[in-house]
Amino acid sequence: MKKIKVAIMGLGTVGGGTYEVLTRNRDVIASGYGVDAEVVKVLDRSEDVLVSRGVPAEKFAGNIDEIIKDDDISVVVETMGGLEPAGTFIIKALKSGKSVVTANKELLAKRFDELEEAAKEGGAGLYFEASCVGGVPVIRTLTDSMQANRITEIMGIINGTTNYILTKMSEDGLTYAAALKEAQKLGYAEFDPTADVEGFDAAYKLSILASLAFHTRIPLSGIYREGISKVTPKDIAVGRSMGYTLKLLAIGRKNADGSAEARVHPAFVPESHPLSSVRGAFNAVFLKGDFVDEIMLYGRGAGAHPTASAIVSDIIYCADREEPLRLDFKNGEASLADDFSSEYYLSLTVADKPGILASITKVFGDCGISIGKMQQQVSAAGQAEIIILTHTTKESAVRTATERLESLGGVKKLNTTLRVIK
Ligand code: NAP
Ligand code: HSE
């Protein structure tokens, strides 16, 4: 039996869940995996939080140095979140030779090299399964199960909060604000939920996952990002009437010439597509390898228990290894394509007058965009709503077309532009 002593920094949603797993399932883990993981120190801003979670007073750590100086502690779990002081605390732990298990995707996406450097200096390991897609073992799949493959694509729903909001708006008619409030109450959202709804959280995760998948750093700055805060119930309803479900997607592709594409944005997904039935806080990720073909991973992408499950899995994984796992990206930084292709959905409010439709379709034609489907509905006196679905076209062409449409006589408002996946 391997006996390891663990410290947890931050006993909120995820840290609290981790403490619960390690307390409730300690014997199951010990008998099943030969690792007896004991939490010996817990650090949090508030002692009341520790008391409410049943942590005995002798395990309270007054500050980070109490954890660093305790030579018996070999693994430190960081579940405080944010860049600082989490970054400094992790670096201190790593440099002192303690391995770190973290769920902090923002820190990993922004300062991975610095953390990995500290891990090397201290001969320790840095593990972060919980940082991406909650309880779904996507990182372990990339690092330990797909080694035979050249991975060319990663696509999925990798943020629980936004998927919860979109599901509630679409199926239960909740407002955006009410759905977000529920997601916060359930412990899915980030401390500042802007990170979720504006797509930052999904971009952090895509940067981590695509870098691992492509063995090349996919910098955050190169990821195209659009959130869901501007999506309206009307867009969702019109999409549904046409057989589509709206999802926040993260897409990463590695092209044959070595360039890469990485983007996060809402998109219409056909109801027949497996991602369409991923509801609530569930997430799903497709990975495409040249030998294995497609793998789809599915499970809870956020919340105390699923994320704690991933943290504890890392603790056991780390305890089982002779040498720390090293995940530096040997092939440098990818050059990211600034254009990509998709089908598009556009909604416009126009004057209901002769010749308007012809002038609109001319803009599309002039920009080299082929229209796949079009529908028009008179909405108010002298006004019509036009929905256009394009065939696959370049994002740059759609941007040029929308700029021209906005200044075209008779177009009152360009309501929405959304991408559509097949
Ligand atoms: P949370 O509920 O806010 O928990 C964070 C805890 O750490 C709080 O108790 C907080 O105390 C404490 N804390 C923060 N700064 C501290 C400091 N300087 N010293 C001592 N204690 C401090 O957050 P969470 O949802 O568990 O998220 C934690 C991390 O996990 C984040 O990196 C997040 O991105 C990641 N994550 C979350 C989920 C999820 O479903 N929630 C899933 C995957 C990954 P106060 O409340 O007093 O600030
Ligand atoms: N806020 C994140 C989400 C937590 O909603 O997906 C899980 O990483």
Side-chain angles (χ1 to χ4, degrees), residues 105 130-131 133-134 158-162 188-190 196 201 205 283 301-303 307:
K105 51 266 160 135
S131 66
V133 203
I158 61 174
N159 180 270
T161 302
T162 47
Y188 303 148
E190 294 303 304
D196 296 293
D201 180 80
K205 292 168 182 165
N283 283 186
T307 313

mmCIF file of all heavy atoms in Angstrom, residues 105 130-131 133-134 158-162 188-190 196 201 205 283 301-303 307, ligand 2:
data_model
loop_
_atom_site.group_PDB
_atom_site.id
_atom_site.type_symbol
_atom_site.label_atom_id
_atom_site.label_comp_id
_atom_site.label_asym_id
_atom_site.label_seq_id
_atom_site.Cartn_x
_atom_site.Cartn_y
_atom_site.Cartn_z
ATOM 1 N N LYS A 105 -7.774 26.004 -15.228
ATOM 2 C CA LYS A 105 -7.485 26.104 -16.673
ATOM 3 C C LYS A 105 -6.974 27.474 -17.085
ATOM 4 O O LYS A 105 -6.167 27.595 -18.009
ATOM 5 C CB LYS A 105 -8.694 25.704 -17.516
ATOM 6 C CG LYS A 105 -10.016 26.383 -17.187
ATOM 7 C CD LYS A 105 -10.791 25.520 -16.246
ATOM 8 C CE LYS A 105 -11.846 26.286 -15.495
ATOM 9 N NZ LYS A 105 -13.107 25.593 -15.466
ATOM 10 N N ALA A 130 -8.596 17.683 -14.223
ATOM 11 C CA ALA A 130 -9.831 18.369 -13.823
ATOM 12 C C ALA A 130 -9.997 19.739 -14.475
ATOM 13 O O ALA A 130 -11.066 20.341 -14.367
ATOM 14 C CB ALA A 130 -9.855 18.527 -12.302
ATOM 15 N N SER A 131 -8.935 20.215 -15.141
ATOM 16 C CA SER A 131 -9.043 21.560 -15.729
ATOM 17 C C SER A 131 -9.938 21.575 -16.960
ATOM 18 O O SER A 131 -10.457 22.627 -17.338
ATOM 19 C CB SER A 131 -7.646 22.078 -16.091
ATOM 20 O OG SER A 131 -7.084 21.296 -17.131
ATOM 21 N N VAL A 133 -13.184 19.806 -19.048
ATOM 22 C CA VAL A 133 -14.336 18.915 -19.220
ATOM 23 C C VAL A 133 -14.656 18.091 -17.958
ATOM 24 O O VAL A 133 -15.012 16.897 -18.041
ATOM 25 C CB VAL A 133 -14.161 18.008 -20.479
ATOM 26 C CG1 VAL A 133 -15.516 17.529 -20.988
ATOM 27 C CG2 VAL A 133 -13.446 18.729 -21.607
ATOM 28 N N GLY A 134 -14.569 18.747 -16.802
ATOM 29 C CA GLY A 134 -15.021 18.176 -15.526
ATOM 30 C C GLY A 134 -14.567 16.750 -15.293
ATOM 31 O O GLY A 134 -13.376 16.449 -15.246
ATOM 32 N N ILE A 158 -17.447 22.087 -24.358
ATOM 33 C CA ILE A 158 -16.496 21.926 -23.259
ATOM 34 C C ILE A 158 -16.731 22.942 -22.143
ATOM 35 O O ILE A 158 -15.859 23.170 -21.321
ATOM 36 C CB ILE A 158 -15.029 21.939 -23.750
ATOM 37 C CG1 ILE A 158 -14.650 23.252 -24.441
ATOM 38 C CG2 ILE A 158 -14.771 20.771 -24.695
ATOM 39 C CD1 ILE A 158 -13.164 23.336 -24.813
ATOM 40 N N ASN A 159 -17.910 23.535 -22.128
ATOM 41 C CA ASN A 159 -18.269 24.410 -21.005
ATOM 42 C C ASN A 159 -19.662 24.024 -20.513
ATOM 43 O O ASN A 159 -20.631 24.039 -21.282
ATOM 44 C CB ASN A 159 -18.230 25.884 -21.427
ATOM 45 C CG ASN A 159 -18.603 26.806 -20.280
ATOM 46 O OD1 ASN A 159 -19.763 27.141 -20.077
ATOM 47 N ND2 ASN A 159 -17.620 27.192 -19.482
ATOM 48 N N GLY A 160 -19.745 23.660 -19.239
ATOM 49 C CA GLY A 160 -21.008 23.185 -18.673
ATOM 50 C C GLY A 160 -22.021 24.301 -18.482
ATOM 51 O O GLY A 160 -23.216 24.131 -18.743
ATOM 52 N N THR A 161 -21.541 25.467 -18.017
ATOM 53 C CA THR A 161 -22.452 26.582 -17.716
ATOM 54 C C THR A 161 -23.232 27.012 -18.956
ATOM 55 O O THR A 161 -24.460 27.149 -18.919
ATOM 56 C CB THR A 161 -21.634 27.782 -17.166
ATOM 57 O OG1 THR A 161 -20.946 27.332 -16.008
ATOM 58 C CG2 THR A 161 -22.508 28.954 -16.826
ATOM 59 N N THR A 162 -22.526 27.228 -20.054
ATOM 60 C CA THR A 162 -23.213 27.708 -21.265
ATOM 61 C C THR A 162 -24.127 26.624 -21.836
ATOM 62 O O THR A 162 -25.202 26.934 -22.353
ATOM 63 C CB THR A 162 -22.199 28.165 -22.334
ATOM 64 O OG1 THR A 162 -21.186 27.170 -22.454
ATOM 65 C CG2 THR A 162 -21.585 29.488 -21.973
ATOM 66 N N TYR A 188 -21.656 25.425 -11.230
ATOM 67 C CA TYR A 188 -21.033 25.186 -12.537
ATOM 68 C C TYR A 188 -20.195 26.376 -13.004
ATOM 69 O O TYR A 188 -19.195 26.207 -13.684
ATOM 70 C CB TYR A 188 -22.098 24.919 -13.617
ATOM 71 C CG TYR A 188 -23.021 23.762 -13.333
ATOM 72 C CD1 TYR A 188 -24.343 23.774 -13.784
ATOM 73 C CD2 TYR A 188 -22.581 22.645 -12.631
ATOM 74 C CE1 TYR A 188 -25.205 22.709 -13.545
ATOM 75 C CE2 TYR A 188 -23.436 21.580 -12.383
ATOM 76 C CZ TYR A 188 -24.740 21.622 -12.832
ATOM 77 O OH TYR A 188 -25.577 20.586 -12.590
ATOM 78 N N ALA A 189 -20.682 27.586 -12.637
ATOM 79 C CA ALA A 189 -20.073 28.786 -13.223
ATOM 80 C C ALA A 189 -18.761 29.160 -12.537
ATOM 81 O O ALA A 189 -18.525 28.812 -11.382
ATOM 82 C CB ALA A 189 -21.063 29.940 -13.130
ATOM 83 N N GLU A 190 -17.943 29.903 -13.266
ATOM 84 C CA GLU A 190 -16.707 30.442 -12.709
ATOM 85 C C GLU A 190 -17.055 31.570 -11.737
ATOM 86 O O GLU A 190 -18.174 32.108 -11.769
ATOM 87 C CB GLU A 190 -15.819 30.987 -13.836
ATOM 88 C CG GLU A 190 -15.313 29.922 -14.781
ATOM 89 C CD GLU A 190 -14.531 28.826 -14.091
ATOM 90 O OE1 GLU A 190 -13.552 29.123 -13.393
ATOM 91 O OE2 GLU A 190 -14.905 27.651 -14.243
ATOM 92 N N ASP A 196 -17.373 32.184 -18.524
ATOM 93 C CA ASP A 196 -18.163 31.133 -19.171
ATOM 94 C C ASP A 196 -18.912 31.695 -20.385
ATOM 95 O O ASP A 196 -18.755 31.198 -21.495
ATOM 96 C CB ASP A 196 -19.187 30.553 -18.177
ATOM 97 C CG ASP A 196 -18.524 29.860 -16.999
ATOM 98 O OD1 ASP A 196 -17.899 28.823 -17.222
ATOM 99 O OD2 ASP A 196 -18.627 30.364 -15.860
ATOM 100 N N ASP A 201 -13.573 30.631 -20.856
ATOM 101 C CA ASP A 201 -13.310 29.338 -20.212
ATOM 102 C C ASP A 201 -13.116 28.243 -21.265
ATOM 103 O O ASP A 201 -12.184 27.434 -21.174
ATOM 104 C CB ASP A 201 -14.480 28.993 -19.276
ATOM 105 C CG ASP A 201 -14.286 27.670 -18.574
ATOM 106 O OD1 ASP A 201 -13.546 27.628 -17.587
ATOM 107 O OD2 ASP A 201 -14.870 26.661 -19.029
ATOM 108 N N LYS A 205 -9.671 26.001 -22.144
ATOM 109 C CA LYS A 205 -9.652 24.530 -22.257
ATOM 110 C C LYS A 205 -9.203 24.098 -23.651
ATOM 111 O O LYS A 205 -8.444 23.133 -23.801
ATOM 112 C CB LYS A 205 -11.045 23.968 -21.958
ATOM 113 C CG LYS A 205 -11.472 24.142 -20.504
ATOM 114 C CD LYS A 205 -12.944 23.842 -20.334
ATOM 115 C CE LYS A 205 -13.417 24.050 -18.908
ATOM 116 N NZ LYS A 205 -14.875 24.101 -18.786
ATOM 117 N N ASN A 283 -21.077 17.581 -21.072
ATOM 118 C CA ASN A 283 -20.167 17.989 -22.147
ATOM 119 C C ASN A 283 -19.875 16.777 -23.021
ATOM 120 O O ASN A 283 -20.105 15.639 -22.599
ATOM 121 C CB ASN A 283 -18.822 18.469 -21.574
ATOM 122 C CG ASN A 283 -18.864 19.872 -20.972
ATOM 123 O OD1 ASN A 283 -17.843 20.407 -20.584
ATOM 124 N ND2 ASN A 283 -20.030 20.471 -20.891
ATOM 125 N N GLY A 301 -19.538 17.983 -17.347
ATOM 126 C CA GLY A 301 -18.416 18.888 -17.606
ATOM 127 C C GLY A 301 -18.136 19.876 -16.500
ATOM 128 O O GLY A 301 -17.176 20.634 -16.570
ATOM 129 N N ALA A 302 -18.971 19.904 -15.466
ATOM 130 C CA ALA A 302 -18.774 20.860 -14.380
ATOM 131 C C ALA A 302 -19.469 20.337 -13.130
ATOM 132 O O ALA A 302 -20.243 19.381 -13.188
ATOM 133 C CB ALA A 302 -19.336 22.228 -14.772
ATOM 134 N N GLY A 303 -19.175 20.991 -12.015
ATOM 135 C CA GLY A 303 -19.830 20.615 -10.751
ATOM 136 C C GLY A 303 -18.859 19.965 -9.791
ATOM 137 O O GLY A 303 -17.812 19.442 -10.193
ATOM 138 N N THR A 307 -15.928 16.982 -11.021
ATOM 139 C CA THR A 307 -14.588 17.581 -11.106
ATOM 140 C C THR A 307 -13.678 16.991 -10.025
ATOM 141 O O THR A 307 -12.495 16.718 -10.272
ATOM 142 C CB THR A 307 -14.681 19.123 -10.987
ATOM 143 O OG1 THR A 307 -15.725 19.571 -11.857
ATOM 144 C CG2 THR A 307 -13.392 19.785 -11.382
HETATM 145 N N1 HSE B 2 -17.258 26.935 -15.374
HETATM 146 C C1 HSE B 2 -16.836 25.730 -15.972
HETATM 147 C C2 HSE B 2 -17.935 25.195 -16.858
HETATM 148 C C3 HSE B 2 -16.492 24.717 -14.918
HETATM 149 O O1 HSE B 2 -19.067 25.649 -16.716
HETATM 150 O O2 HSE B 2 -17.657 24.346 -17.702
HETATM 151 C C4 HSE B 2 -15.916 23.447 -15.489
HETATM 152 O O3 HSE B 2 -14.658 23.664 -16.038
#
